[in-house]
């Protein structure tokens, strides 16, 4: 039997997934069922775009519920014990300066389940995180990105 994938995440990330799951199960699921019921009342289902749309949304919602349940069941909470102060690891917030121009960027490295680059949270599977993991403050690192290479200097690890 294949082993389930482990989803590393913060306690906050797990709580957000649990809230989304609760919303999908208690609110969204009922809304979709109501849409299907209304669309059925229009008659012939073979040419009923409202019915088709509602059924597609139902499939999406049910798929997302299954995904969230799996992620929550296989969550591994990132615990910071303080033993690796100053070392880039999962759950830490890293600030670095792009070399040579000095543009500063800050990201928190999280598991893929809670990654949101627009919110400053990058996946531990991303090219930047992979290049920075295990490094220390002051290290200069070459990061492979889709556009080529980027040199950075780590200035802070919290």
């Amino acid at each position: 039997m294949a082993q389930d994938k482990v989803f590393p995440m913060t306690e906050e990330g797990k709580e957000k997934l649990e809230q989304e799951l609760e919303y999908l199960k208690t609110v969204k699921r009922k809304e979709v069922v109501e849409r299907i019921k209304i669309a059925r009342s229009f008659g012939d289902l073979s040419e009923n775009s409202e019915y088709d749309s509602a059924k597609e949304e139902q499939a999406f919602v049910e798929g997302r519920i299954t995904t969230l349940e799996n992620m929550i069941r296989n969550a591994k909470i990132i615990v910071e014990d303080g033993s690796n102060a100053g070392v880039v690891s999962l759950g830490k917030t890293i600030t670095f300066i792009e070399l040579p121009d000095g543009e500063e960027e800050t990201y928190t490295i999280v598991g893929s389940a809670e990654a949101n680059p627009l919110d400053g949270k990058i996946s531990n599977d991303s090219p930047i995180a992979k290049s920075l993991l295990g490094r220390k403050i002051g290290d200069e690192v070459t990061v492979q990105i889709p556009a080529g290479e980027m040199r950075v200097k780590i200035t802070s690890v919290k």
Side-chain angles (χ1 to χ4, degrees):
M1 184 161 110
Q3 189 165 357
D4 287 333
K5 178 181 178 186
V6 174
F7 296 93
M9 63 183 72
T10 62
E11 189 63 46
E12 175 190 355
K14 184 178 179 189
E15 287 172 11
K16 283 183 179 179
L17 293 180
E18 289 170 339
Q19 290 170 0
E20 181 184 354
L21 179 62
E22 184 67 19
Y23 169 77
L24 290 175
K25 284 182 162 183
T26 60
V27 177
K28 195 65 174 172
R29 201 181 241 170
K30 290 177 183 171
E31 288 175 0
V32 173
V33 167
E34 188 60 29
R35 279 188 56 209
I36 291 171
K37 191 185 304 181
I38 291 169
R40 276 191 178 141
S41 71
F42 295 152
D44 185 10
L45 298 181
S46 65
E47 294 182 20
N48 187 330
S49 63
E50 289 87 357
Y51 178 77
D52 292 341
S53 172
K55 289 299 280 183
E56 286 174 15
E57 185 176 5
Q58 181 182 42
F60 174 80
V61 168
E62 294 303 322
R64 182 68 179 156
I65 288 171
T66 301
T67 299
L68 290 172
E69 287 173 339
N70 184 49
M71 292 168 81
I72 292 167
R73 182 175 49 253
N74 295 301
K76 180 179 185 294
I77 303 302
I78 302 163
V79 179
E80 178 55 51
D81 61 7
S83 65
N84 285 338
V87 177
V88 178
S89 61
L90 208 54
K92 292 196 177 174
T93 300
I94 291 62
T95 301
F96 58 82
I97 297 174
E98 283 188 46
L99 300 175
D101 64 4
E103 186 179 331
E104 188 175 80
E105 295 184 41
T106 300
Y107 295 105
T108 301
I109 300 177
V110 297
S112 59
E114 63 181 304
N116 181 354
L118 299 176
D119 196 26
K121 295 180 179 183
I122 60 171
S123 166
N124 59 319
D125 292 327
S126 71
I128 293 174
K130 283 182 176 180
S131 298
L132 297 177
L133 287 169
R135 304 299 185 112
K136 299 180 181 104
I137 295 172
D139 284 358
E140 290 188 14
V141 182
T142 300
V143 179
Q144 295 296 327
I145 57 174
E149 289 183 345
M150 172 175 75
R151 295 262 321 140
V152 301
K153 181 176 182 178
I154 301 170
T155 57
S156 170
V157 178
K158 299 177 192 170

